[in-house]
Amino acid sequence: MVGNKAKLFVFSGPSGSGKTTIVRDILKQYTEFLFSVSATTRKRRNVEKDGVDYFFISEEDFRKKIDDGEFVEWEKFYDYYYGTLKKIVDDNISKGLITVFEVDVKGAISIKKVYPFATLIFIAPPSIEELKERLIKRNTESDEDFKKRIERAEMELGFKDQFDYVVNNINLDQAKKVAREIIEKEINKEDK
Ligand code: 5GP
């Protein structure tokens, strides 16, 4: 059962590691959890919905939000900006709600600096080779973006020791199960 203390579960890991699928599974399982919808300047993919997957905004609007201090953290990569909106997180915390994030590794580490009680969960792909195959199958990136994502994945793997948990996504069902076990363990903790 979920306690009434606010918690933050931050999922991270390289693009194509399966983190989006695992985060979706967690949100389906725990319907009371709220997803922290980030703002981004990247183009919307066909399957994505504005305000659900991301707030898709212009670079101008994004820069304004930076200047106005609206982000807990933000990063620029692959020529696009991505940022976590402070108001959403603070509102959830004040209501004692549980928030789930899906951000890059640096974003995760920044969130923990602002909210030290956050739980950081790294989803690791079995290997860079497997990651390449998954991204090729997904086929959502241009050749140039694909190359950048692989380079970035190699960098991101170097950060995994800074996370509270590492889930090796060798088998998706098994990885989903491990992620759920981590959530159960954390929500049943008296104090964090
Ligand atoms: P994608 O373009 O595939 O949706 O996301 C690219 C990367 O940006 C992923 O690693 C994703 O987790 C990360 N990301 C999404 N939202 C945020 C955010 O608000 N902050 C940071 N730092 N990274 C984010």
Side-chain angles (χ1 to χ4, degrees):
M1 276 306 292
V2 178
N4 50 17
K5 201 165 168 249
K7 291 196 189 292
L8 307 179
F9 291 111
V10 187
F11 285 84
S12 202
S15 182
S17 63
K19 65 180 189 290
T20 306
T21 312
I22 291 171
V23 166
R24 288 207 182 117
D25 182 67
I26 294 293
L27 293 169
K28 205 169 125 196
Q29 170 84 3
Y30 301 95
T31 50
E32 69 278 34
F33 288 11
L34 297 168
F35 182 60
S36 163
V37 180
S38 297
T40 185
T41 58
R42 145 164 104 55
K43 282 196 210 88
R44 191 177 64 81
R45 295 181 189 136
N46 280 343
V47 291
E48 291 174 328
K49 288 197 184 81
D50 189 27
V52 176
D53 298 286
Y54 284 105
F55 293 108
F56 295 95
I57 63 173
S58 67
E59 197 167 316
E60 194 189 341
D61 284 352
F62 199 102
R63 284 176 185 279
K64 185 164 185 313
K65 286 186 190 299
I66 296 174
D67 291 344
D68 293 346
E70 288 189 38
F71 292 115
V72 176
E73 60 76 36
W74 62 270
E75 293 284 336
K76 187 183 183 201
F77 45 96
Y78 326 128
D79 301 328
Y80 308 118
Y81 289 88
Y82 295 81
T84 304
L85 292 156
K86 196 165 188 350
K87 187 175 185 314
I88 297 181
V89 185
D90 288 345
D91 281 355
N92 290 351
I93 292 173
S94 68
K95 290 177 191 151
L97 300 172
I98 294 178
T99 312
V100 175
F101 303 73
E102 191 201 319
V103 296
D104 87 304
V105 287
K106 289 185 182 164
I109 291 161
S110 300
I111 290 171
K112 185 124 178 165
K113 284 199 185 120
V114 181
Y115 306 105
F117 59 95
T119 303
L120 305 191
I121 304 161
F122 189 95
I123 309 295
S127 66
I128 289 287
E129 287 315 308
E130 175 86 8
L131 196 68
K132 282 183 186 163
E133 274 174 36
R134 286 185 192 175
L135 283 177
I136 289 167
K137 266 193 213 148
R138 194 170 84 180
N139 196 25
T140 51
E141 269 70 47
S142 66
D143 284 356
E144 201 191 326
D145 273 358
F146 171 81
K147 203 169 151 264
K148 285 188 193 161
R149 277 172 193 256
I150 293 298
E151 279 168 11
R152 192 173 173 91
E154 286 167 345
M155 178 281 284
E156 287 187 311
L157 282 166
F159 281 86
K160 70 173 197 252
D161 293 344
Q162 295 186 43
F163 281 65
D164 298 303
Y165 296 95
V166 176
V167 177
N168 289 309
N169 183 8
I170 294 166
N171 170 288
L172 186 59
D173 285 338
Q174 181 61 21
K176 282 180 185 170
K177 188 168 164 275
V178 173
R180 287 183 188 191
E181 283 166 3
I182 292 168
I183 302 286
E184 284 298 320
K185 186 174 158 199
E186 290 295 324
I187 57 184
N188 288 318
K189 268 189 190 169
E190 286 296 311
D191 294 303
K192 257 230 87 191

